[in-house]
Amino acid sequence: MGGKNSKKHTELKEKEIKLLIQKTGLSRQEILDWHAEFLQNHPDGLIDAGEFTSIYRQFYQYGNPDNYAKFAFQAFDNDNNGKISFSEFLIATAFSINASQGDDAEKSLEFAFDVYDTDDNEKVDRTEVEKLLEAVYQLETGTGSYNFEYVIDELFRNYDTDATGYLNKREFIVALLNDPYVRDYLLVN
């Protein structure tokens, strides 16, 4: 049984490749290249939170990515097994790359919403925004904390259109599409 389960995480099926092309915007060859490199570093086809954080440290050498990596790992560990498969990893990585390159803004913002929605209830409250703002700040500056109360107040005052005390996915995306001030704080540069 272990052999079959191990094979499940190391092989890419055609259906999975097509899904990754759609979700990441990468070409078939790019996906196959990423997969080959991933398997060289992770022969079982899985990475845990520690390995994921180490990868983030390679991408963000000037800040402290540990907190942000924790949130990103949780957002992309779709089956909540404490491991990320190649597909989950590639989607998370493509999200970071595409968000910084401005590719398909709305799709990137949907992924950002998933990172901010730490309790997976399809809405983002003030506490979730504050925790992620701190993580983004640490990622980019390497320093401790900052008072984000004004940014959070502005975000909810202007974009919580139904006055529920949280932002649904649409409100979140509209805020980030329309407000460069908020976008600069909430997204990793």
Side-chain angles (χ1 to χ4, degrees):
M1 278 198 314
K4 182 180 180 185
N5 197 22
S6 174
K7 197 173 187 179
K8 172 185 171 190
H9 296 293
T10 57
E11 285 186 355
L12 269 182
K13 294 187 176 9
E14 186 60 32
K15 182 178 180 180
E16 191 173 2
I17 293 170
K18 288 179 181 177
L19 180 67
L20 289 171
I21 290 169
Q22 177 188 6
K23 287 198 172 251
T24 65
L26 297 172
S27 72
R28 176 185 190 77
Q29 190 56 54
E30 288 171 316
I31 291 168
L32 293 174
D33 291 346
W34 274 84
H35 186 248
E37 185 175 338
F38 184 87
L39 289 179
Q40 281 182 346
N41 296 319
H42 312 284
D44 65 349
L46 298 169
I47 59 174
D48 63 24
E51 292 168 313
F52 187 78
T53 300
S54 292
I55 292 167
Y56 258 75
R57 285 185 192 131
Q58 292 171 12
F59 283 117
Y60 301 100
Q61 297 175 6
Y62 301 106
N64 180 355
D66 294 4
N67 268 346
Y68 188 82
K70 180 181 87 172
F71 289 115
F73 183 87
Q74 290 171 347
F76 293 105
D77 180 16
N78 294 326
D79 52 10
N80 297 314
N81 68 352
K83 301 262 186 179
I84 289 184
S85 68
F86 169 74
S87 293
E88 292 167 327
F89 168 78
L90 190 61
I91 290 168
T93 303
F95 158 69
S96 295
I97 293 167
N98 291 342
S100 66
Q101 293 177 350
D103 292 349
D104 193 354
E106 194 147 343
K107 184 166 57 167
S108 291
L109 297 178
E110 286 178 14
F111 283 124
F113 178 85
D114 291 340
V115 172
Y116 274 81
D117 181 18
T118 59
D119 59 7
D120 293 325
N121 65 356
E122 296 298 316
K123 53 189 173 188
V124 174
D125 63 30
R126 295 175 70 86
T127 302
E128 289 170 312
V129 170
E130 183 176 13
K131 286 179 186 175
L132 265 294
L133 281 171
E134 287 288 335
V136 169
Y137 185 75
Q138 291 170 4
L139 173 73
E140 293 182 345
T141 67
T143 60
S145 63
Y146 181 83
N147 184 351
F148 291 104
E149 191 171 328
Y150 179 77
V151 175
I152 296 168
D153 287 345
E154 285 296 303
L155 174 65
F156 280 84
R157 182 177 18 263
N158 294 322
Y159 296 102
D160 179 14
T161 57
D162 53 5
T164 56
Y166 61 83
L167 301 176
N168 61 39
K169 187 177 276 193
R170 188 79 226 134
E171 291 169 329
F172 182 86
I173 290 171
V174 166
L176 293 174
L177 283 173
N178 295 329
D179 194 328
Y181 174 75
V182 170
R183 187 172 50 245
D184 285 347
Y185 277 100
L186 292 175
L187 295 181
V188 175
N189 294 314

